[in-house]
Amino acid sequence: MKKYLLCGVFGIMMCSYAAGQNYHPFPTIYGNWLYQYYDQFGNPVHFFTNIILSGDTIIGTHSYKKLSASINLGGVDGNCIREENKKIYYYHPDSLAEYVLYDFNLEAGDTLFNPYSCCPLAPIDTVVIYSVDSVLLSDNQYHKMWQTMGCDRWYDGVGSDVDLLNPYHGCYLSPHFNLECFTGDSGLVYQWNINCLVGINGRDENISTSVYPNPITTQLNITLANNQSSIIILYDITSRKLLQQSFVNSVSINTTQLESGIYFYEVRSDNKMVRNGKVVKE
């Protein structure tokens, strides 16, 4: 089963014990976790869901990032997370209170209590950290990796490679989700499946790019100051490609046919993704 491989078969990470790497916080602007479903035999099923950051909210005295899902399994919509002191706090709608979902200060042998079991038939309310290592992810940055009591692995700036909001699974001898790729504020961070939604050959931050307005109503405008042939790709919340259009310097896209909701875009030029993000159609 592929999840038992410590290093991805597609080379998404190189195992290393690199010391002193910087801590990577969770995204605050753009976050897209793409999960694929696997059956009880470890075979991939053509069933995907995205969990994305979908805005800000204030609950009590804290500011949170709202989450939504393309397929709202487990009631993702309405859940919220926030980060403080390398801890990810989760506001669970059933509890009317927050609890620590991830603690990226933990060391090998430490435990973290989870008040909500992920598996009703085999409750697991405490996660045990077996080891803490460092790996090179798809952003060419070293991230700390926490191996838990089961098969889950946590990465700073990413979360669990099995279930973002239930990172306490004990085994994979049952149907489960697997993190195929994750894109954050700075672009692609984690890639397991080579076919997942990513840019190509990195991301060029040196090209001035504008994508506006946001929210959009009747049109989306893109300007790119490099005098080269570029493309804009627009996806819906399930990562289905809606359109791809070539342009030089600027283009306006008619969006009247789009339904209200959240959409993702990528702007690419010279085989590099120069900008990606999300827009809201009113």
Side-chain angles (χ1 to χ4, degrees):
M1 187 180 300
K2 76 170 188 175
K3 289 298 295 182
Y4 288 105
L5 297 176
L6 185 60
C7 296
V9 295
F10 298 114
I12 65 168
M13 57 183 90
M14 296 172 57
C15 295
S16 170
Y17 292 92
Q21 79 281 351
N22 294 326
Y23 172 74
H24 301 274
F26 260 42
T28 58
I29 301 173
Y30 178 85
N32 186 348
W33 293 260
L34 175 64
Y35 288 90
Q36 183 171 16
Y37 189 72
Y38 285 76
D39 64 20
Q40 65 269 32
F41 305 107
N43 299 313
V45 179
H46 295 295
F47 178 70
F48 292 87
T49 184
N50 293 75
I51 298 178
I52 64 169
L53 297 184
S54 57
D56 302 304
T57 188
I58 296 178
I59 302 175
T61 60
H62 297 298
S63 297
Y64 291 85
K65 299 296 178 181
K66 295 189 294 185
L67 300 172
S68 60
S70 56
I71 302 174
N72 192 23
L73 299 176
V76 172
D77 291 353
N79 292 351
C80 305
I81 58 174
R82 69 180 183 91
E83 180 167 3
E84 182 178 346
N85 298 326
K86 298 184 181 181
K87 296 180 180 179
I88 306 300
Y89 291 87
Y90 176 33
Y91 184 86
H92 194 288
D94 292 339
S95 68
L96 300 180
E98 68 173 16
Y99 64 89
V100 177
L101 187 65
Y102 299 94
D103 185 348
F104 294 118
N105 299 290
L106 296 179
E107 299 295 341
D110 290 343
T111 61
L112 181 64
F113 176 73
N114 172 25
Y116 288 87
S117 168
C118 68
C119 309
L121 298 180
I124 302 172
D125 61 8
T126 302
V127 62
V128 179
I129 304 300
Y130 278 177
S131 63
V132 182
D133 300 318
S134 295
V135 295
L136 185 67
L137 295 186
S138 298
D139 59 354
N140 292 319
Q141 299 289 322
Y142 282 99
H143 292 246
K144 290 185 71 174
M145 179 186 73
W146 288 257
Q147 178 71 55
T148 71
M149 62 183 295
C151 303
D152 298 62
R153 289 184 286 270
W154 305 353
Y155 304 91
D156 60 9
V158 177
S160 170
D161 63 352
V162 177
D163 191 333
L164 177 66
L165 300 181
N166 280 306
Y168 303 92
H169 293 74
C171 66
Y172 293 116
L173 300 179
S174 62
H176 64 277
F177 280 96
N178 177 70
L179 181 62
E180 301 296 294
C181 62
F182 166 70
T183 304
D185 292 340
S186 60
L188 177 67
V189 177
Y190 177 98
Q191 180 182 0
W192 180 271
N193 188 329
I194 197 169
N195 295 317
C196 71
L197 174 60
V198 296
I200 50 178
N201 296 335
R203 176 183 170 117
D204 192 339
E205 301 285 354
N206 298 317
I207 301 176
S208 177
T209 311
S210 297
V211 179
Y212 63 95
N214 192 8
I216 57 179
T217 53
T218 60
Q219 68 179 27
L220 178 65
N221 304 304
I222 302 95
T223 61
L224 188 64
N226 67 346
N227 294 318
Q228 295 184 10
S229 178
S230 305
I231 59 173
I232 171 71
I233 307 173
L234 192 67
Y235 304 88
D236 65 13
I237 199 172
T238 67
S239 296
R240 179 171 59 95
K241 184 187 294 186
L242 300 179
L243 65 86
Q244 177 173 322
Q245 185 166 335
S246 300
F247 68 97
V248 176
N249 292 333
S250 66
V251 66
S252 294
I253 297 173
N254 186 339
T255 58
T256 56
Q257 76 281 7
L258 297 180
E259 297 181 355
S260 298
I262 297 174
Y263 297 87
F264 302 104
Y265 67 84
E266 291 182 351
V267 180
R268 299 178 180 176
S269 183
D270 191 25
N271 288 331
K272 292 183 179 180
M273 181 166 64
V274 297
R275 182 165 177 170
N276 64 350
K278 65 180 179 182
V279 292
V280 177
K281 171 65 184 300
E282 292 185 329

